[in-house]
């Protein structure tokens, strides 16, 4: 998993064994059949976000969820790998 953040968007990349990833943001499901990268433009500056990524496949197999936490802030045009 890779999380990149800009002041106006958060990008999540996934590369793994499972075909799909369910993503929740602060406890609310925001996507199911997610294809990498996922870009969240619905963010606010100086706000904490917690994303939980739960991989799964068509057969009903579910992988171990991973939690990613970040805080947005205003820095024009810079990328940060977390």
């Amino acid at each position: 998993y890779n999380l990149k953040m800009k002041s106006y968007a958060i990008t999540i990349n996934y590369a793994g064994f499972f075909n799909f990833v369910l993503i929740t943001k602060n406890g609310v499901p925001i996507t199911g059949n997610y294809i990498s990268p996922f870009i969240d433009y619905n963010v606010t500056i100086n706000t904490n976000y917690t994303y939980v990524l739960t991989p799964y496949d068509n057969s009903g197999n579910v992988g171990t969820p991973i939690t990613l936490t970040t805080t947005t802030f205003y820095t024009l045009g810079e990328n940060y790998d977390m």
Side-chain angles (χ1 to χ4, degrees):
Y1 299 96
N2 178 267
L3 176 75
K4 287 192 176 205
M5 183 185 63
K6 285 190 173 185
S7 57
Y8 59 90
I10 295 174
T11 303
I12 300 172
N13 291 294
Y14 170 77
F17 177 76
F18 293 91
N19 303 22
F20 307 107
V21 178
L22 171 67
I23 300 175
T24 62
K25 175 180 161 184
N26 294 342
V28 178
I30 56 174
T31 186
N33 295 333
Y34 147 77
I35 298 173
S36 188
F38 171 78
I39 302 173
D40 186 1
Y41 292 104
N42 189 19
V43 296
T44 304
I45 295 170
N46 296 324
T47 304
N48 297 324
Y49 293 102
T50 299
Y51 295 88
V52 177
L53 283 66
T54 306
Y56 65 98
D57 65 20
N58 290 332
S59 299
N61 299 308
V62 178
T64 302
I66 186 169
T67 300
L68 306 170
T69 303
T70 191
T71 301
T72 56
F73 55 92
Y74 186 77
T75 304
L76 186 60
E78 293 189 33
N79 285 316
Y80 296 90
D81 286 322
M82 306 180 97

